[in-house]
Amino acid sequence: MKLVPLSAALVAAATLVACGPADANSPPQNGGAMVMDVGFSALLRAPATPFLGAEDADITIIGYMDYNCQYCKMMIPELEGLLAADPKVRILYKEWPIFGEVSENASRLALAAGYQGKYHDVHKAFMSAPSRIDSDATARRLATEAGVDMARLDTDLAQNRAAIDAVLRRNTVEASALALRGTPAFVVNGILIPGGIKQQQFETLIARIRSGQPLY
């Protein structure tokens, strides 16, 4: 698949919006999660994708998120609760900044922080911000408060800009291939959830996957 320039891809994505709950406009299925089968193995072939949870997980949740998406912020306690409750789950975060240049630069800062082992600290700081990240200065302040060495981050960002932009391009291409309409969106072992759901709904879906029960 041909990659389009990052700026063009993000302009194309600018018409997307926050998805809200997955069952907001459709009848709930499988404990509230609206699901469909999608290709999965290709989404895991991205060693730069940060993850939390078990190395030997039997359930992998891939999350497409934007730091200025209110529903993404609401998902963090649900995902953290799931990780705490289930030792065989891992979560891969896919930076998908669809809400403009500030979101795009925030994603770059988070990925650059990963070179000093601080991706998840920055991710949580950005997602926990009580209001919208309205400027690059705000994003940098939050990263500093998360314990990031900003001088090193700037060096890492400059030296690895091409690799970081490649991650964002790939995530945008994946989201397009999945026909995602906004953030958040999740893929659970190949099952697409186009929106936010509660921890209990994740747990219901995971139980069905593990038991081999029909998902529809």
Side-chain angles (χ1 to χ4, degrees), residues 163-198:
I164 289 170
D165 281 358
V167 171
L168 297 183
R169 280 197 301 270
R170 182 175 61 244
N171 293 349
T172 298
V173 169
E174 289 176 0
S176 178
L178 292 169
L180 300 184
R181 297 174 60 189
T183 55
F186 301 94
V187 180
V188 184
N189 277 37
I191 305 301
L192 175 62
I193 305 173
I197 63 174
K198 297 291 187 180

Side-chain angles (χ1 to χ4, degrees), residues 136-154:
D136 295 340
T138 297
R140 291 180 65 85
R141 174 179 59 78
L142 291 169
T144 300
E145 292 173 356
V148 172
D149 179 335
M150 296 304 291
R152 177 177 172 183
L153 182 145
D154 287 335

Side-chain angles (χ1 to χ4, degrees), residues 51-58 60 87-90:
F51 75 90
L52 286 173
E55 289 274 0
D56 59 344
D58 65 348
T60 298
K88 298 293 286 183
V89 167
R90 67 174 174 169

Side-chain angles (χ1 to χ4, degrees), residues 55-209:
E55 289 274 0
D56 59 344
D58 65 348
I59 298 293
T60 298
I61 299 172
I62 298 175
Y64 292 82
M65 308 177 86
D66 182 301
Y67 293 120
N68 276 325
C69 165
Q70 60 176 325
Y71 294 109
C72 295
K73 291 175 180 288
M74 292 167 60
M75 286 303 304
I76 297 305
E78 307 296 336
L79 295 170
E80 289 181 344
L82 181 63
L83 285 177
D86 194 325
K88 298 293 286 183
V89 167
R90 67 174 174 169
I91 298 172
L92 276 65
Y93 291 117
K94 297 272 190 173
E95 300 279 336
W96 189 32
I98 64 174
F99 289 105
E101 184 177 357
V102 172
S103 286
E104 181 183 335
N105 288 334
S107 287
R108 286 195 181 96
L109 289 180
L111 291 170
Y115 289 91
Q116 58 181 282
K118 287 288 188 177
Y119 171 83
H120 291 295
D121 298 274
V122 173
H123 180 88
K124 186 167 185 177
F126 286 175
M127 285 297 184
S128 301
S131 58
R132 186 178 181 87
I133 300 176
D134 58 358
S135 67
D136 295 340
T138 297
R140 291 180 65 85
R141 174 179 59 78
L142 291 169
T144 300
E145 292 173 356
V148 172
D149 179 335
M150 296 304 291
R152 177 177 172 183
L153 182 145
D154 287 335
T155 298
D156 287 333
L157 180 58
Q159 292 179 347
N160 300 284
R161 177 63 177 263
I164 289 170
D165 281 358
V167 171
L168 297 183
R169 280 197 301 270
R170 182 175 61 244
N171 293 349
T172 298
V173 169
E174 289 176 0
S176 178
L178 292 169
L180 300 184
R181 297 174 60 189
T183 55
F186 301 94
V187 180
V188 184
N189 277 37
I191 305 301
L192 175 62
I193 305 173
I197 63 174
K198 297 291 187 180
Q199 176 183 340
Q200 183 178 4
Q201 294 172 307
F202 272 121
E203 291 171 345
T204 298
L205 176 59
I206 288 169
R208 293 193 179 207
I209 291 172

